[in-house]
Amino acid sequence: MSDKLIGVYGASGFGKEVMPLVRAQFVELDKENFVFIDDGQANTDLNGYQVLSYTNFINNSKADKRVTIAIANSQVREKLVARLNQDGVQHLEIQAANTVILDEVEIGEGSLLCPFTCLTSNIKIGKFFHANIYSYVAHDCVIGDYVTFAPGVKCNGNIHIEDHAYIGTGAVIKQGTPDKPLVIGKGAIVGMGAVVTKSVPAGVTVIGNPARILEKK
């Protein structure tokens, strides 16, 4: 009987997609060693796995607890990281078997790389990065902490994406240059299907083709 308890934090649609990736990294463990963590759905089952409250997860008798956070909201993700750190829970790096990673790629702790993710060469990525299915990061990109890619993001070369930015499904970000990278500012949101052709200021939402700032009414 293993002393490991592996948790997927978030019993939502994304969590259901992440659990099989986690299982694939711990093929030696039985199904009973895996749980979802979600206070809103505690004491239920999801796809045959127990859903535990955070308190019940922490109080479980198994000593070796490890967690990946399957929650797209980066602010929530950061708060949960602080909570897990306080309780001494180990963070997992999850990577689908068909992920492609080429030369000189640095990735911070807690990353979650879904199927068909591609990271090419000379890339630096911060903590708790999420790359959903069919996303790529091309050469010479720098990505901050708690950045989230929805499915199908195309992040071309020489792009800098600052902390807590969210890039929507199918967005395309135009390649920058070594002397003038295209920058997505801190906390910016790039809408679904947007085509970003120039730098985006911090904290704004851009939509459309070419992407423009969504004005608040």
Side-chain angles (χ1 to χ4, degrees):
M1 180 72 70
S2 172
D3 203 31
K4 289 187 176 69
L5 186 63
I6 310 297
V8 173
Y9 210 134
S12 63
F14 188 46
K16 287 185 280 191
E17 295 175 346
V18 169
M19 180 61 86
L21 306 180
V22 177
R23 286 291 305 273
Q25 288 190 200
F26 294 92
V27 293
E28 74 282 4
L29 297 182
D30 295 329
K31 192 170 186 177
E32 291 71 26
N33 294 99
F34 300 87
V35 296
F36 288 99
I37 307 167
D38 194 314
D39 287 340
Q41 298 186 49
N43 304 314
T44 63
D45 284 348
L46 179 62
N47 290 355
Y49 301 94
Q50 276 190 293
V51 183
L52 301 182
S53 68
Y54 182 76
T55 300
N56 285 344
F57 176 79
I58 291 300
N59 291 337
N60 187 279
S61 60
K62 293 186 184 298
D64 185 355
K65 296 181 177 71
R66 309 182 190 190
V67 166
T68 186
I69 303 173
I71 294 174
N73 185 310
S74 66
Q75 303 291 340
V76 172
R77 209 150 73 234
E78 186 172 33
K79 290 176 182 177
L80 295 179
V81 166
R83 191 180 193 186
L84 291 161
N85 287 344
Q86 186 174 6
D87 289 320
V89 177
Q90 181 178 337
H91 300 291
L92 293 173
E93 282 75 51
I94 300 301
Q95 180 179 316
N98 60 3
T99 299
V100 174
I101 300 177
L102 302 181
D103 291 339
E104 303 298 327
V105 176
E106 298 177 20
I107 309 176
E109 69 171 335
S111 59
L112 180 45
L113 307 180
C114 292
F116 305 100
T117 298
C118 180
L119 311 177
T120 68
S121 301
N122 301 85
I123 296 166
K124 293 183 179 179
I125 296 174
K127 300 181 294 184
F128 298 95
F129 172 60
H130 279 190
N132 214 315
I133 55 174
Y134 290 100
S135 292
Y136 72 72
V137 180
H139 63 88
D140 299 296
C141 287
V142 179
I143 294 177
D145 298 336
Y146 298 99
V147 170
T148 305
F149 281 13
V153 169
K154 297 175 174 61
C155 177
N156 292 292
N158 290 298
I159 292 166
H160 290 187
I161 301 179
E162 297 179 349
D163 298 353
H164 288 284
Y166 179 89
I167 316 298
T169 299
V172 180
I173 308 175
K174 181 184 177 183
Q175 181 166 321
T177 61
D179 59 320
K180 191 178 180 182
L182 189 149
V183 178
I184 307 294
K186 182 177 181 179
I189 297 172
V190 175
M192 179 185 294
V195 178
V196 180
T197 59
K198 59 185 180 182
S199 291
V200 174
V204 305
T205 297
V206 297
I207 60 171
N209 179 10
R212 64 192 184 280
I213 294 175
L214 179 64
E215 301 292 347
K216 295 180 179 178
K217 295 182 180 180

